[in-house]
Amino acid sequence: SLVDARGRIDAGRIAGGVRERMSTLGADVRVESPDGAVVHGRAVGLDDDGSLLVDVTDPGPAAAGRLVRRRLDVGDVIHLRSV
């Protein structure tokens, strides 16, 4: 059930069900936010609150290509094709 013993909605169970059906997880994506910011990376997870988790390459000069996990709660998600 998606409702716990106290009658509250179990967000973790809902998010888990969504994760199982998402074709986005594992895909390379571009996320365009309403403020015009664009994030490129790989969709790797979904938080219990519905935020998409995307691993992106840190652009900082000291980062040397280190991956950083971004939590995105709003935006248009575009699946990128492999070339």
Side-chain angles (χ1 to χ4, degrees):
S1 170
L2 299 178
V3 179
D4 68 15
R6 295 184 179 165
R8 296 176 300 196
I9 293 174
D10 186 343
R13 287 194 65 151
I14 293 171
V18 172
R19 279 185 209 101
E20 292 173 4
R21 293 166 180 83
M22 283 183 72
S23 63
T24 301
L25 297 183
D28 291 327
V29 296
R30 180 176 74 232
V31 182
E32 300 172 354
S33 68
D35 67 1
V38 176
V39 172
H40 289 92
R42 178 158 297 182
V44 295
L46 186 72
D47 264 355
D48 286 349
D49 69 359
S51 297
L52 183 65
L53 303 175
V54 179
D55 282 349
V56 299
T57 303
D58 189 332
R66 175 178 61 106
L67 288 179
V68 175
R69 185 152 296 165
R70 298 273 311 268
R71 187 177 166 275
L72 305 170
D73 57 3
V74 64
D76 293 325
V77 179
I78 297 100
H79 288 218
L80 303 177
R81 286 185 242 165
S82 300
V83 275

